[in-house]
Amino acid sequence: GRPLVLIAGPCVIEEQGLTLRIAEYLKELTAKLGIGLVFKASYDKANRTSISSFRGPGMAQGLEILARIRREFEVPVLSDIHDISQISAAAEVLDILQIPAFLSRQTDLLVAAAATGKVVNVKKGQFLAPWDMANAVKKIEEAGNTQVLLTERGASFGYNNLVVDMRSLVVMRETGCPVVFDATHSVQLPGGAGTSSGGQRQYVGALSRAAVAVGVDALFWEVHENPDQALCDGPNSLPLGDLPAMLEQILAIDTLVKQGG
Amino acid sequence: GRPLVLIAGPCVIEEQGLTLRIAEYLKELTAKLGIGLVFKASYDKANRTSISSFRGPGMAQGLEILARIRREFEVPVLSDIHDISQISAAAEVLDILQIPAFLSRQTDLLVAAAATGKVVNVKKGQFLAPWDMANAVKKIEEAGNTQVLLTERGASFGYNNLVVDMRSLVVMRETGCPVVFDATHSVQLPGGAGTSSGGQRQYVGALSRAAVAVGVDALFWEVHENPDQALCDGPNSLPLGDLPAMLEQILAIDTLVKQGG
Amino acid sequence: GRPLVLIAGPCVIEEQGLTLRIAEYLKELTAKLGIGLVFKASYDKANRTSISSFRGPGMAQGLEILARIRREFEVPVLSDIHDISQISAAAEVLDILQIPAFLSRQTDLLVAAAATGKVVNVKKGQFLAPWDMANAVKKIEEAGNTQVLLTERGASFGYNNLVVDMRSLVVMRETGCPVVFDATHSVQLPGGAGTSSGGQRQYVGALSRAAVAVGVDALFWEVHENPDQALCDGPNSLPLGDLPAMLEQILAIDTLVKQGG
Amino acid sequence: GRPLVLIAGPCVIEEQGLTLRIAEYLKELTAKLGIGLVFKASYDKANRTSISSFRGPGMAQGLEILARIRREFEVPVLSDIHDISQISAAAEVLDILQIPAFLSRQTDLLVAAAATGKVVNVKKGQFLAPWDMANAVKKIEEAGNTQVLLTERGASFGYNNLVVDMRSLVVMRETGCPVVFDATHSVQLPGGAGTSSGGQRQYVGALSRAAVAVGVDALFWEVHENPDQALCDGPNSLPLGDLPAMLEQILAIDTLVKQGG
């Protein structure tokens, strides 16, 4: 196995300065640790729990900021797309088009994303079995694109809770696609805070260590300078200061496991 | 409570003759039983398990057939919309715009559907708690539309299985919105047949009786002349011939329960 | 199908006077409604959440009270057994020996209960599929006893919650055994109140109507003169005063469904 | 944290020679690896799916074999107890009394086990939340015994399947009790093979690495010379030959994580 890649950034682009500072921090940290970085940030949160939640700067301004980060920090960028109409503009900037979990069965969206030739990262729906993702991969491959990532982000477990079935990482790897573990969204408590989703940041480290010990290709973390004031997914975002120690330990596990395998 | 309404039709519009015959049958049957009918059929199945599954005639031709059914049989028509770009054309024909379960948190889609002034039927996501639907209702109401239906269609229960939590019908009714029980999709086994979803038609009757005994405003059934040859959701569609006896019993329960309430 | 039987009584025998008054009330009510009654009460709650919870009067005194109720009100009595050592004494008094859900796979307990020749009511474990109950039935039948009842009382659904899968009633009936719906324990929130289990009495009516509409042989309800002061399972017990109206409606549904079948 | 302990042995005592050979193998292996060993084997499987399943040699003969292993290999021994009547005999031989998951709420059994002064290992019920285990700990502690282990062995996830929620390991550690991860039973498919439980041996390694990366005090593995011919739980038992490489990697992860913590 190849060494772990970190996909990280804020949940949503809040304002340009903050977003650039986060990118710079992540770039320096991953350079020092000798691992790959993909910068992620959403420009429009299309499925917030409540209509009054902050949604982001919108596509045009958001893509501009992502393009700047890509250029200045020489880092691939990833963002999620919710609608076919967004794809061509997004594909001009992004290196990886991400299909949100709720939309992981929308054939047209998968095919349109595939047609750009960009890497497509499909998040496994909370309502899907890991073996069902083979159908998503097939939809993309039959559209002529073999660069597919699959992301685990938890499965529905009763109401307002998700569980990570670590077997899923093994099952999805059997497709031949690189597998990403999205620790941030796996610790969401969907709808659990009434008009927003709650989260359990305190389990991000444990679940990330577990996933890396099982064997994954990338970790997906949402991070923030000050998660408690983040405009989106604060309860499950990591403060930047926690990253160095967490990553160091995780990379040691990754090395061990990938030697062993 | 008002008497039960039946929302029924084939999963997907297969060919015009068959679709008209089904509509005619349903119209005569519900007239004889003295209950309301909404005719439902999809013109494009956008989230089939496999890319090679039949998807329907497409929007233009599909809406034409629905318009003809609406006119000839004087029956309101319902279909599902997957993309904002479809909404204005769909709203010219449809009486009820249905938001698929996977998309029940997509704010833009909900708001755009609301803006048409048509009735909006939101299916509860398999990954949502019934109380979370209050947020979907609020998104639509804040867009100025108070005609919202909420539909139960099962909750994720392990892999490749759904369970109907009958408490959900009570909880969703507390929003003040009419509540629909979609028996057809509640007995789906998502992805359970590998490259398609399986289904358990044999439980449609039992679950429908149960839901009506709890108290609902409408039942949603997919029906077909010959379900085993249906191009979509055959395993969970009802043969037309089963409807009269099933409905008669169900209406008797409905009457009992609504007197009692 | 034969008409519905009511299995009812307090969760636990609190004091003799109260227990007799409840039995008398139930006897009169079911006589007036023309349905069968089985009186249930536990003499020892062996698996309370907390060690300081009230457990009951113990076996000797409890069985004495149940024997008196059986004699005075001419009603069969049911109680649960947790240990093989209790069985012979219990079988001298009880008409139905009940195997608690947690113990539904304990072979020795099933076999020992079977050997008494009494009716055995096995509650389906919250961790079992309905088709798994065929194995419990077989254990009892191979021990020479064919009088088996199977009881649905909810399935684990995430943490601290249960869901009733109404399909289970149909599946369990295929064993040929009469099927009981235990509405009281189906609305438990196990461990949900920290050091005791919570409950949702408000759904007992809806779930009972649903189960009867699906088709069951008996309903199991825990009842109390004053549930809010009950020493066990108060949050999911019904006040006696609610019973007449609820049962009347439920019996009308039962009649309808059993005619139809 | 202290270094990992291995709790291992065959599911059930089949015959003495085989059982001794397994004990000898485990003793040598763990000595070489420098870790602690607890030998486990059941003398009576009281809750097999089917009445015709092999149950073991019974208590008397089983305890004799365990006593011999304890003496000859100087290793603590663990076995599960299903009934209060077994406890005093079992406590004369065993170092650790194990409470099966289905019985984890049976107050009398917990209290009687506690009263022996032996270490008590409580398996978390498949139907319990991790925080509910605080009540089991309290029952034992109030009976005067503070030597409690808590074991994760999967939570009910739909029918015939279990999922390991790795957050559970963190939550249970907050009780202050050492936490064991039982990989063998976590990959059971309860009832999944009709008249026996299926299993997924292929995930034992991945889940064990994950649990150790989260942080646990002991791993629980059922092992066999030839799992495909094992008389119990073969599908989820490990062949002895797989152990050295698996354990080496796992111990390296354990060291890393316990340094980091």
Side-chain angles (χ1 to χ4, degrees):
Chain A
R2 284 160 304 180
L4 198 71
V5 168
L6 181 67
I7 304 174
C11 170
V12 64
I13 298 173
E14 298 189 10
E15 51 99 3
Q16 178 163 305
L18 171 62
T19 312
L20 291 172
R21 285 197 307 278
I22 294 175
E24 185 175 20
Y25 180 91
L26 293 171
K27 178 69 185 181
E28 281 177 20
L29 176 62
T30 51
K32 206 163 66 184
L33 294 167
I35 59 168
L37 170 69
V38 174
F39 185 79
K40 79 76 43 180
S42 297
Y43 45 79
D44 182 15
K45 307 301 292 180
N47 55 22
R48 299 297 302 265
T49 302
S50 162
I51 200 171
S52 54
S53 307
F54 178 71
R55 287 185 47 163
M59 184 166 63
Q61 200 192 322
L63 286 174
E64 215 169 285
I65 295 174
L66 288 171
R68 181 168 166 193
I69 286 170
R70 187 177 191 275
R71 201 172 53 237
E72 287 191 16
F73 301 106
E74 297 181 328
V75 65
V77 294
L78 169 156
S79 196
D80 40 338
I81 51 173
H82 296 81
D83 198 280
I84 295 169
S85 66
Q86 304 172 343
I87 286 186
S88 68
E92 278 178 42
V93 170
L94 304 177
D95 300 273
I96 305 181
L97 304 180
Q98 178 169 286
I99 307 294
F102 293 146
L103 306 181
S104 58
R105 279 178 63 115
Q106 304 298 319
T107 305
D108 290 341
L109 191 62
L110 290 167
V111 169
T116 62
K118 298 288 179 162
V119 178
V120 182
N121 179 25
V122 190
K123 291 200 167 182
K124 179 165 73 63
Q126 300 88 330
F127 43 84
L128 288 179
W131 44 84
D132 294 334
M133 292 306 285
N135 289 308
V137 174
K138 212 172 158 202
K139 287 176 182 178
I140 295 170
E141 288 183 346
E142 289 184 2
N145 187 334
T146 59
Q147 297 187 84
V148 188
L149 309 179
L150 297 178
T151 295
E152 170 66 37
R153 48 90 80 238
S156 286
F157 185 60
Y159 293 136
N160 301 317
N161 199 5
L162 298 169
V163 68
V164 177
D165 180 358
M166 293 283 162
R167 296 172 298 183
S168 166
L169 304 171
V170 182
V171 172
M172 291 201 295
R173 272 195 146 188
E174 286 163 7
T175 61
C177 299
V179 167
V180 182
F181 175 61
D182 173 353
T184 300
H185 293 94
S186 292
V187 299
Q188 246 183 356
L189 302 175
T195 55
S196 66
S197 290
Q200 302 179 307
R201 189 190 305 152
Q202 70 271 31
Y203 298 121
V204 167
L207 292 183
S208 296
R209 292 196 302 273
V212 167
V214 170
V216 292
D217 299 279
L219 275 184
F220 181 111
W221 282 355
E222 288 182 354
V223 299
H224 199 274
E225 284 185 351
N226 188 349
D228 292 333
Q229 297 187 5
L231 299 178
C232 169
D233 278 356
N236 34 344
S237 292
L238 292 175
L240 294 179
D242 287 6
L243 269 57
M246 286 175 74
L247 276 175
E248 214 168 316
Q249 192 181 39
I250 280 168
L251 292 175
I253 298 173
D254 184 60
T255 303
L256 258 173
V257 170
K258 284 176 181 163
Q259 283 169 341
Chain B
R2 283 159 305 179
L4 198 71
V5 168
L6 180 67
I7 305 174
C11 171
V12 64
I13 298 173
E14 299 189 11
E15 50 99 5
Q16 178 163 304
L18 172 62
T19 313
L20 291 172
R21 285 198 305 278
I22 294 174
E24 185 176 20
Y25 181 92
L26 293 171
K27 178 68 186 183
E28 281 177 19
L29 176 62
T30 51
K32 207 162 66 184
L33 294 167
I35 59 168
L37 170 69
V38 173
F39 185 78
K40 79 75 44 183
S42 297
Y43 46 79
D44 182 16
K45 307 302 293 180
N47 55 23
R48 298 297 302 265
T49 302
S50 162
I51 199 171
S52 54
S53 307
F54 178 72
R55 289 184 46 163
M59 184 165 63
Q61 200 192 322
L63 286 174
E64 215 169 284
I65 295 174
L66 288 170
R68 182 168 164 191
I69 286 169
R70 187 177 192 277
R71 200 172 54 235
E72 285 190 18
F73 301 105
E74 295 181 330
V75 64
V77 294
L78 169 156
S79 197
D80 39 339
I81 50 173
H82 296 82
D83 198 281
I84 297 169
S85 65
Q86 304 172 342
I87 287 186
S88 69
E92 278 177 41
V93 170
L94 304 177
D95 300 273
I96 305 181
L97 304 180
Q98 180 170 285
I99 308 294
F102 294 146
L103 306 181
S104 57
R105 280 179 62 116
Q106 303 298 318
T107 305
D108 290 340
L109 190 63
L110 290 166
V111 168
T116 64
K118 298 287 178 163
V119 177
V120 182
N121 178 25
V122 190
K123 291 201 168 182
K124 179 166 71 65
Q126 299 88 330
F127 43 84
L128 288 179
W131 44 85
D132 293 334
M133 292 307 285
N135 289 308
V137 174
K138 212 172 158 202
K139 287 176 182 177
I140 296 170
E141 288 182 348
E142 289 184 3
N145 187 334
T146 59
Q147 296 188 84
V148 188
L149 310 178
L150 296 178
T151 295
E152 170 65 38
R153 48 92 76 237
S156 286
F157 184 59
Y159 292 137
N160 301 316
N161 199 6
L162 298 169
V163 68
V164 177
D165 180 358
M166 293 284 163
R167 295 172 299 184
S168 166
L169 304 171
V170 182
V171 173
M172 291 201 295
R173 271 194 148 187
E174 286 163 7
T175 61
C177 299
V179 167
V180 182
F181 175 60
D182 173 353
T184 300
H185 293 95
S186 292
V187 299
Q188 246 183 356
L189 302 175
T195 55
S196 67
S197 289
Q200 303 179 307
R201 189 191 304 150
Q202 70 270 29
Y203 298 121
V204 167
L207 292 183
S208 297
R209 291 197 301 274
V212 167
V214 171
V216 291
D217 299 279
L219 275 184
F220 180 112
W221 284 353
E222 287 181 355
V223 299
H224 199 273
E225 283 185 353
N226 187 348
D228 291 333
Q229 297 188 3
L231 298 178
C232 169
D233 278 357
N236 35 343
S237 291
L238 292 176
L240 295 179
D242 286 7
L243 268 58
M246 286 174 72
L247 276 176
E248 215 169 312
Q249 192 181 38
I250 281 168
L251 292 175
I253 298 173
D254 185 59
T255 303
L256 258 173
V257 170
K258 285 178 181 162
Q259 283 169 342
Chain C
R2 283 160 305 181
L4 198 71
V5 168
L6 180 67
I7 304 174
C11 170
V12 65
I13 298 173
E14 298 189 10
E15 51 100 3
Q16 177 164 303
L18 172 62
T19 313
L20 292 171
R21 285 198 306 277
I22 294 174
E24 185 175 21
Y25 181 91
L26 292 171
K27 178 69 185 181
E28 281 177 20
L29 176 63
T30 51
K32 207 163 65 185
L33 294 167
I35 59 169
L37 170 69
V38 174
F39 185 78
K40 79 78 40 182
S42 298
Y43 45 79
D44 182 16
K45 307 302 293 179
N47 55 22
R48 300 296 304 264
T49 303
S50 162
I51 199 170
S52 54
S53 306
F54 178 71
R55 288 185 47 163
M59 184 167 62
Q61 200 192 324
L63 286 174
E64 215 170 285
I65 295 174
L66 289 171
R68 182 169 166 192
I69 286 169
R70 188 177 189 275
R71 202 172 53 236
E72 287 190 17
F73 301 107
E74 296 181 328
V75 66
V77 293
L78 169 155
S79 196
D80 39 339
I81 51 174
H82 296 81
D83 198 280
I84 295 169
S85 66
Q86 304 172 343
I87 287 187
S88 68
E92 278 177 42
V93 171
L94 304 177
D95 300 274
I96 306 181
L97 303 181
Q98 178 169 285
I99 309 293
F102 294 147
L103 307 181
S104 57
R105 278 178 64 115
Q106 303 299 318
T107 305
D108 290 340
L109 191 63
L110 291 167
V111 168
T116 62
K118 298 288 179 162
V119 177
V120 183
N121 179 25
V122 191
K123 292 201 168 181
K124 179 166 73 63
Q126 300 87 332
F127 43 84
L128 288 179
W131 43 86
D132 294 334
M133 292 307 284
N135 290 308
V137 174
K138 212 172 157 203
K139 288 177 182 178
I140 295 170
E141 289 182 347
E142 290 185 0
N145 187 333
T146 59
Q147 296 188 84
V148 189
L149 309 179
L150 297 178
T151 296
E152 171 66 37
R153 48 91 78 238
S156 285
F157 185 59
Y159 293 137
N160 301 317
N161 199 5
L162 297 170
V163 68
V164 177
D165 180 358
M166 294 283 162
R167 295 173 300 183
S168 166
L169 304 171
V170 182
V171 172
M172 292 201 296
R173 273 194 145 187
E174 286 163 7
T175 61
C177 300
V179 168
V180 183
F181 176 60
D182 173 352
T184 300
H185 293 95
S186 292
V187 300
Q188 244 182 357
L189 302 175
T195 55
S196 66
S197 290
Q200 303 178 307
R201 189 190 304 151
Q202 70 272 29
Y203 299 122
V204 167
L207 292 183
S208 297
R209 291 196 304 272
V212 167
V214 170
V216 291
D217 298 280
L219 274 185
F220 181 112
W221 283 353
E222 287 181 355
V223 299
H224 199 274
E225 284 185 353
N226 187 349
D228 291 333
Q229 298 187 5
L231 298 179
C232 169
D233 278 357
N236 34 345
S237 292
L238 292 176
L240 295 178
D242 287 6
L243 269 57
M246 286 175 72
L247 276 175
E248 215 168 315
Q249 191 182 38
I250 280 169
L251 292 175
I253 298 173
D254 185 60
T255 303
L256 256 173
V257 169
K258 286 177 180 162
Q259 284 169 341
Chain D
R2 283 159 306 179
L4 198 70
V5 168
L6 181 67
I7 304 174
C11 171
V12 65
I13 298 174
E14 299 190 9
E15 50 99 4
Q16 178 164 305
L18 172 62
T19 312
L20 291 172
R21 285 198 306 277
I22 294 174
E24 185 176 19
Y25 181 93
L26 293 170
K27 178 68 186 183
E28 281 177 21
L29 176 63
T30 51
K32 207 163 66 185
L33 294 167
I35 60 169
L37 170 69
V38 174
F39 185 79
K40 79 76 41 183
S42 297
Y43 45 78
D44 183 15
K45 307 301 294 179
N47 55 23
R48 299 298 302 264
T49 302
S50 162
I51 198 171
S52 54
S53 306
F54 178 73
R55 288 185 46 164
M59 183 165 64
Q61 200 192 322
L63 286 174
E64 215 170 285
I65 295 174
L66 288 170
R68 183 169 165 191
I69 286 170
R70 187 176 191 276
R71 201 172 53 236
E72 285 190 18
F73 301 105
E74 296 181 328
V75 66
V77 294
L78 169 156
S79 197
D80 39 338
I81 50 173
H82 296 82
D83 198 279
I84 295 168
S85 65
Q86 305 172 343
I87 286 186
S88 68
E92 278 177 42
V93 170
L94 304 177
D95 300 274
I96 306 181
L97 304 180
Q98 179 169 285
I99 308 295
F102 293 147
L103 306 181
S104 57
R105 280 178 63 117
Q106 303 299 318
T107 305
D108 291 340
L109 191 63
L110 291 167
V111 168
T116 63
K118 299 286 178 162
V119 177
V120 183
N121 179 26
V122 191
K123 291 201 168 183
K124 178 166 73 64
Q126 299 88 330
F127 43 85
L128 287 180
W131 44 85
D132 294 334
M133 292 306 284
N135 289 309
V137 175
K138 212 172 160 202
K139 287 176 182 177
I140 295 170
E141 288 182 348
E142 290 185 2
N145 187 334
T146 59
Q147 297 187 85
V148 189
L149 309 179
L150 296 178
T151 295
E152 170 66 37
R153 48 92 76 240
S156 285
F157 184 60
Y159 292 137
N160 301 316
N161 199 5
L162 297 170
V163 68
V164 177
D165 180 357
M166 293 284 162
R167 295 173 299 184
S168 166
L169 304 171
V170 182
V171 172
M172 291 201 295
R173 272 195 146 186
E174 286 163 8
T175 60
C177 299
V179 168
V180 182
F181 175 61
D182 173 353
T184 300
H185 294 95
S186 292
V187 299
Q188 248 184 354
L189 302 176
T195 55
S196 66
S197 289
Q200 303 179 308
R201 189 190 307 150
Q202 70 270 28
Y203 299 122
V204 167
L207 292 183
S208 296
R209 291 196 302 273
V212 167
V214 170
V216 291
D217 298 280
L219 274 185
F220 180 111
W221 283 354
E222 287 181 355
V223 300
H224 199 274
E225 284 185 353
N226 187 348
D228 292 333
Q229 297 187 3
L231 299 177
C232 169
D233 277 357
N236 34 344
S237 292
L238 292 176
L240 295 178
D242 287 6
L243 269 57
M246 285 175 72
L247 276 175
E248 215 168 314
Q249 192 182 38
I250 280 168
L251 292 175
I253 298 173
D254 185 59
T255 304
L256 257 174
V257 169
K258 286 177 180 161
Q259 283 170 341

